[in-house]
């Protein structure tokens, strides 16, 4: 299986089966977890893969096979959690 297919499979399975929807206190700070189950678009940006999903914008490190962050209206300036399309600008 080539790396692109493997990364997509890992990401898809993570979004479908590894999603959680909870919140709790960690070290005195509230942490919010989103239920991201529907990937809608993906775009490669160097070592990263950005995924538009129903719970926000996911940043995936393709070299480490690790989800770096899930950006949502709770933790970033994106206008909505339901992201449908992605595009790269001159700055990446």
């Amino acid at each position: 299986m080539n790396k692109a297919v493997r990364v997509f499979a890992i990401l898809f399975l993570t979004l479908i089966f590894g999603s959680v929807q909870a919140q709790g206190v960690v070290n005195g700070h509230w942490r919010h977890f989103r239920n991201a189950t529907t990937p809608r678009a993906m775009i490669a940006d160097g070592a990263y893969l950005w995924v538009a999903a129903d719970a926000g914008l996911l940043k995936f490190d393709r070299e480490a096979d690790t989800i770096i962050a899930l950006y949502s209206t709770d933790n970033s300036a994106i206008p909505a959690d339901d992201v449908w399309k992605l595009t790269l600008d001159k700055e990446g």
Side-chain angles (χ1 to χ4, degrees), residues 1-11 42 49 60 62:
M1 180 182 321
N2 71 32
K3 188 167 182 163
V5 172
R6 192 173 117 235
V7 168
F8 179 76
I10 289 169
L11 183 59
M42 289 186 259
L49 181 68
F60 182 81
R62 298 187 301 164

Side-chain angles (χ1 to χ4, degrees), residues 20-24 31-34:
V20 291
Q21 191 171 29
Q23 60 185 17
R31 293 196 50 174
H32 299 274
F33 301 95
R34 299 251 174 188

Side-chain angles (χ1 to χ4, degrees), residues 42-50 59-60 62 88-89 91-92:
M42 289 186 259
I43 194 164
D45 180 20
Y48 302 110
L49 181 68
W50 293 92
K59 185 177 183 182
F60 182 81
R62 298 187 301 164
L88 288 175
D89 63 10
E91 298 176 15

